[in-house]
Amino acid sequence: MSEGVMTCLPPHDGHPGMEIIWAADCRQAFNQGVRLAQSWLDNARSGWLWAIMIAERDLLPCAMERRAFEVGFLSRIHQRLSSLQRNEQRIRDLPLTL
């Protein structure tokens, strides 16, 4: 039985990375999803997030690659959202002095 192929999401925006093991080599699709999400985040959020993800995902040939793309894409978005939530909490926790 195969041990699987690992993909790695690097830490970003102060949020830890993660490793996922796939039954097949989906590294390229996973990394493509991460890069597309980062591009969307870097480019002033041009276009609808869901439309961009679906259009690119549907170009992939098999279901496992499409899933890996989705996981990479949404994981990168999750990192950014988690970072923003932590920053908001830090601001709320600051003492207000007048």
Side-chain angles (χ1 to χ4, degrees):
M1 183 168 168
S2 173
E3 291 184 25
V5 179
M6 183 182 305
T7 55
C8 298
L9 177 70
H12 209 289
D13 291 330
H15 194 278
M18 69 172 183
E19 297 175 344
I20 298 175
I21 297 179
W22 301 91
D25 190 353
C26 296
R27 288 176 292 193
Q28 185 175 356
F30 179 86
N31 293 333
Q32 182 181 348
V34 172
R35 283 191 306 272
L36 183 63
Q38 186 62 51
S39 175
W40 185 82
L41 291 166
D42 289 343
N43 291 309
R45 293 149 186 85
S46 57
W48 290 97
L49 178 64
W50 62 268
I52 291 166
M53 185 189 81
I54 290 171
E56 290 295 318
R57 178 204 59 199
D58 287 352
L59 296 174
L60 295 167
C62 70
M64 188 173 295
E65 288 181 349
R66 289 189 294 273
R67 178 63 47 90
F69 175 90
E70 293 167 348
V71 170
F73 186 92
L74 293 172
S75 294
R76 180 61 197 99
I77 299 296
H78 175 84
Q79 286 177 314
R80 176 64 58 88
L81 291 174
S82 294
S83 172
L84 294 173
Q85 286 176 331
R86 271 194 311 281
N87 289 339
E88 286 177 8
Q89 186 61 42
R90 285 183 195 137
I91 290 170
R92 277 187 242 128
D93 291 343
L94 289 175
L96 179 62
T97 56
L98 299 175

